[in-house]
Amino acid sequence: MGRYVARRLLQMIPVFIGSTALIFCAMYALPGDPVRTMMGEKSYDPAQIANIKADLGLDLPLWHQYWNYLTGLFQGDFGTQIASGRPVSEVIADALPVTIQLTLYSFAIIVVVGIALGVLGGLRADTWVDRVLLVFTMLLISIPVFVLGFVLQYFFAFELQWVTPTVQSSDSWGQLTLPAVVLAGLSLAYVVRLTRTSVAENLRSDFVRTAVAKGLPRRRVVGIHLMRNSLIPVVTFLGTELGALLAGAVVTEGIFNVHGIGNVIYQSLMRLEGATVVGVVSLIVILYLATSLIVDLLYAVLDPRIRYA
Amino acid sequence: MPEPALTKERQDAPAAGAASTEAAPKPEKARSLWQDAWRSLRSNPLFMISAVLIVLLLTMVAFPGLFADGSPRDGDQAAHYLTEPNLGHLFANDWLGYDAHGRSVYVRVIYGARNSVLAGLAVTVLVAFFGTLVGMLAGYFGGWLDSLLSRITDIFFGIPFLLGAMVILTAVTERSIWMVITALAVLGWTQVARVARGSVLTVKQSDYVQAAKALGAGTWRILMRHVLPNAIAPVIVVATVALGGYIGAEATLSYLGLGLADPAISWGVDIDTGKDQLRNAPHVLLFPALMVSITVLAFIMLGDAVRSALDPKSR
């Protein structure tokens, strides 16, 4: 087990370096110039711009800039936000809690509602309940996140006036509900479908028949025997989805004006600020790699046949 | 739904077997996976609905003039500023109302189909081609090539899809539909590559590939004649399901202001302009949003039908 984790951690290093290098190149090979974007319409002195660039290390060749960035990253230094002069780590630390709150809220909705509906559909496969769920999930998959966001915002905030159209204070769970539901939508639909297929398939399996035959109560058959076996593909999906949720927050936070990581990325992209964008993306990549490792380790918990030597 | 078809075939099978032993009329021809898939597709109502919708969309893409006359770009702002939809006037220019520039929402929705459908199809073709190529090379040759290609796939897979596309698109100054397509394809091929690699790995072990090798067939011939046709089914499934997602992604990028911009006509652009008047003129946003959703739905249904037709487990 320890050796397996160590090997996986070692394999992550090239993937992490590669992913961040790609984003870094895309960001810094830009024809645009963040320093000039910051100056805006003001008249500027070319020497002054050259000075700022030299201070930020933006005049070095690309590989050298990346090397500096990477070595800084390992010392916990994410670089400096050009517009404000604040360290990127501080900007991230300010925005991250809100996004984590929003993402975890969505994740909880996905897990609870998604698995519950999926099990419901799987146990009643090919009944009207199942068909209604299939149509519902198909609609949910078809509606892009931003469309769902605006439609729900229009109905719940403008027509019914149950909630405020944008999030006023991110401390309030109530105000975060609508954005969390919107963010959860797509993944929720996939979880329902995956759980449904998995449960329906396992319901016909030998081990369930045996469990029923030996007279176990239905609660135990479904709750223990069926669920443990059916949840493996769902757990895989949920693990890879956490990173996607963070990325999806860009759209959701924009619609509902949540001041989180998504907003930070969007603003930085508009200002062509490499350091901030690369910093946040690096963070998401790390998170994605970590969750995929945790998912693999969870397999062993769910399925005792899997052993990591 | 695939299930009714499934039970029907099961009932048919013993009957057909009995008939052939008794009277032995014309023996039923062996059907290939593709003929089987086509039969199961034709009896799937989901496929029929999606096919009708997609044919309609493709006609809209090729001949928008058939559906609406009038220009999507010219508007009379003074006369039609945010006019409410007049749902009684079916298919007339004022049917779905006008936007803030006095342009007919209906005409723009029709003309907007072109970019969305083009983006979806082009990204899918690119992703399927390059993904299959990488996956097939990695799976068939194995060894160091496999390790190298798999690590490269991992690197691209680690970058969040939409976020990566956003970063690439900020980097380009001239944003055409082809740039959007390239950005989505650069990040999208990994999923197909992984599926293709797995599929090729199984096919590689099969007897017919070993036989072809023993008979001295060249590598190229083995790959093209034996491996590819037998390994392609899962790739097609993944690609069709992803198509709808790419259309949604194009709309999302245009909405964020990172895809197409105003002189170009796209549902995403219209949703972006409509969001500022969501409160007093929701129709400007809702109708393009409805079109995106219907289009994505059509392709997702197609993907679902293709999946159940090509997946041997579902028969």
Side-chain angles (χ1 to χ4, degrees):
Chain A
M1 178 85 173
R3 282 184 62 184
Y4 174 78
V5 174
R7 206 177 67 222
R8 283 289 304 266
L9 286 174
L10 281 178
Q11 278 177 355
M12 279 182 190
I13 295 172
V15 174
F16 175 72
I17 292 179
S19 307
T20 48
L22 271 178
I23 294 291
F24 196 87
C25 288
M27 254 350 267
Y28 284 89
L30 299 180
D33 184 334
V35 180
R36 280 186 56 179
T37 313
M38 179 183 76
M39 295 288 184
E41 299 294 309
K42 279 187 288 184
S43 62
Y44 51 82
D45 181 6
Q48 193 190 357
I49 286 196
N51 254 336
I52 298 177
K53 280 187 152 183
D55 277 351
L56 294 165
L58 290 175
D59 53 344
L60 298 169
L62 196 61
W63 66 268
H64 199 159
Q65 284 188 41
Y66 180 64
W67 175 251
N68 282 348
Y69 180 76
L70 208 59
T71 44
L73 204 59
F74 281 110
Q75 294 156 14
D77 175 13
F78 279 78
T80 314
Q81 193 178 41
I82 297 173
S84 62
R86 293 166 72 202
V88 172
S89 49
E90 208 180 290
V91 176
I92 293 179
D94 271 356
L96 197 58
V98 187
T99 303
I100 289 186
Q101 200 183 354
L102 179 66
T103 312
L104 287 182
Y105 197 173
S106 296
F107 199 68
I109 295 176
I110 294 168
V111 171
V112 175
V113 181
I115 294 183
L117 288 180
V119 170
L120 187 74
L123 290 178
R124 292 181 179 39
D126 294 320
T127 60
W128 66 269
V129 179
D130 186 32
R131 289 193 206 292
V132 168
L133 275 176
L134 270 179
V135 172
F136 167 71
T137 52
M138 199 173 262
L139 287 177
L140 212 49
I141 293 173
S142 312
I143 302 175
V145 178
F146 66 111
V147 172
L148 187 68
F150 281 123
V151 170
L152 292 189
Q153 189 182 43
Y154 180 73
F155 279 109
F156 288 108
F158 295 147
E159 289 287 301
L160 298 172
Q161 307 206 323
W162 286 358
V163 292
T164 50
T166 52
V167 176
Q168 314 288 331
S169 136
S170 37
D171 298 331
S172 145
W173 288 95
Q175 293 196 357
L176 277 180
T177 304
L178 199 55
V181 169
V182 170
L183 186 57
L186 184 65
S187 310
L188 179 77
Y190 279 119
V191 167
V192 172
R193 297 196 128 201
L194 258 179
T195 316
R196 183 247 170 220
T197 318
S198 189
V199 165
E201 219 164 74
N202 279 327
L203 205 57
R204 295 195 293 262
S205 67
D206 291 340
F207 64 82
V208 168
R209 195 179 308 133
T210 311
V212 173
K214 63 184 185 181
L216 290 182
R218 185 175 163 79
R219 196 155 37 86
R220 202 174 156 78
V221 175
V222 174
I224 310 280
H225 294 248
L226 185 64
M227 288 300 280
R228 243 179 107 163
N229 282 283
S230 306
L231 283 186
I232 293 178
V234 182
V235 168
T236 317
F237 177 79
L238 285 175
T240 51
E241 206 55 15
L242 206 57
L245 278 183
L246 278 177
V250 178
V251 178
T252 321
E253 289 183 357
I255 296 173
F256 295 101
N257 193 30
V258 181
H259 294 286
I261 283 292
N263 245 334
V264 169
I265 297 188
Y266 188 66
Q267 304 291 335
S268 323
L269 273 173
M270 290 299 135
R271 286 198 303 255
L272 304 177
E273 283 216 358
T276 320
V277 175
V278 181
V280 176
V281 175
S282 310
L283 206 71
I284 294 180
V285 172
I286 292 177
L287 209 90
Y288 163 75
L289 291 173
T291 44
S292 57
L293 176 63
I294 295 172
V295 164
D296 282 356
L297 296 177
L298 263 181
Y299 283 160
V301 178
L302 283 170
D303 186 346
R305 284 170 304 184
I306 298 172
R307 286 267 176 276
Y308 295 116
Chain B
M1 305 293 117
E3 279 74 15
L6 186 141
T7 45
K8 189 168 163 281
E9 298 232 332
R10 268 194 193 147
Q11 286 161 354
D12 284 350
S20 66
T21 44
E22 276 166 23
K26 38 192 167 180
E28 205 182 325
K29 255 200 240 162
R31 282 182 280 130
S32 75
L33 173 71
W34 306 107
Q35 285 164 315
D36 257 354
W38 177 234
R39 273 169 72 110
S40 119
L41 272 184
R42 271 184 314 182
S43 58
N44 190 343
L46 214 59
F47 172 72
M48 282 307 167
I49 299 171
S50 67
V52 169
L53 280 174
I54 288 169
V55 167
L56 205 64
L57 274 166
L58 291 178
T59 332
M60 215 180 267
V61 167
F63 313 104
L66 279 181
F67 293 84
D69 38 57
S71 153
R73 287 203 177 83
D74 301 333
D76 185 349
Q77 199 173 17
H80 297 307
Y81 177 75
L82 291 180
T83 312
E84 298 259 315
N86 192 343
L87 292 173
H89 292 191
L90 278 184
F91 305 112
N93 277 355
D94 64 344
W95 184 32
L96 305 180
Y98 290 89
D99 69 4
H101 299 281
R103 299 174 298 196
S104 160
V105 171
Y106 174 60
V107 175
R108 285 187 68 80
V109 150
I110 295 290
Y111 279 84
R114 186 169 288 175
N115 278 326
S116 296
V117 173
L118 178 68
L121 290 177
V123 174
T124 308
V125 168
L126 285 173
V127 157
F129 179 77
F130 288 105
T132 311
L133 188 70
V134 172
M136 192 163 72
L137 293 180
Y140 189 76
F141 291 105
W144 65 267
L145 188 65
D146 184 21
S147 310
L148 181 72
L149 290 176
S150 294
R151 286 297 86 71
I152 294 177
T153 314
D154 284 349
I155 288 173
F156 279 88
F157 199 78
I159 302 173
F161 182 64
L162 206 57
L163 207 53
M166 286 170 63
V167 172
I168 295 178
L169 285 171
T170 11
V172 291
T173 37
E174 202 178 317
R175 293 193 198 118
S176 63
I177 186 73
W178 294 105
M179 274 320 301
V180 178
I181 290 169
T182 314
L184 291 177
V186 162
L187 292 155
W189 61 273
T190 52
Q191 200 191 3
V192 172
R194 286 184 165 194
V195 170
R197 177 177 171 274
S199 175
V200 166
L201 276 178
T202 7
V203 169
K204 193 171 90 170
Q205 310 296 334
S206 59
D207 291 340
Y208 51 84
V209 172
Q210 299 304 323
K213 246 187 219 165
L215 285 169
T219 308
W220 176 251
R221 192 185 160 82
I222 293 178
L223 279 178
M224 286 299 133
R225 292 291 304 260
H226 301 285
V227 173
L228 190 62
N230 289 295
I232 199 80
V235 171
I236 292 178
V237 171
V238 174
T240 24
V241 174
L243 211 166
Y246 297 140
I247 291 179
E250 185 275 323
T252 309
L253 288 170
S254 296
Y255 150 72
L256 286 171
L258 290 165
L260 299 171
D262 199 4
I265 302 162
S266 139
W267 295 328
V269 173
D270 284 0
I271 293 170
D272 187 27
T273 47
K275 73 169 192 274
D276 302 327
Q277 293 106 21
L278 181 60
R279 191 161 208 160
N280 45 12
H283 65 272
V284 182
L285 182 141
L286 287 181
F287 290 112
L290 190 68
M291 281 303 284
V292 181
S293 306
I294 292 176
T295 310
V296 178
L297 180 68
F299 283 103
I300 298 255
M301 286 198 303
L302 178 73
D304 247 37
V306 169
R307 192 213 311 264
S308 59
L310 278 179
D311 181 8
K313 260 193 271 174
S314 74
R315 293 233 186 92

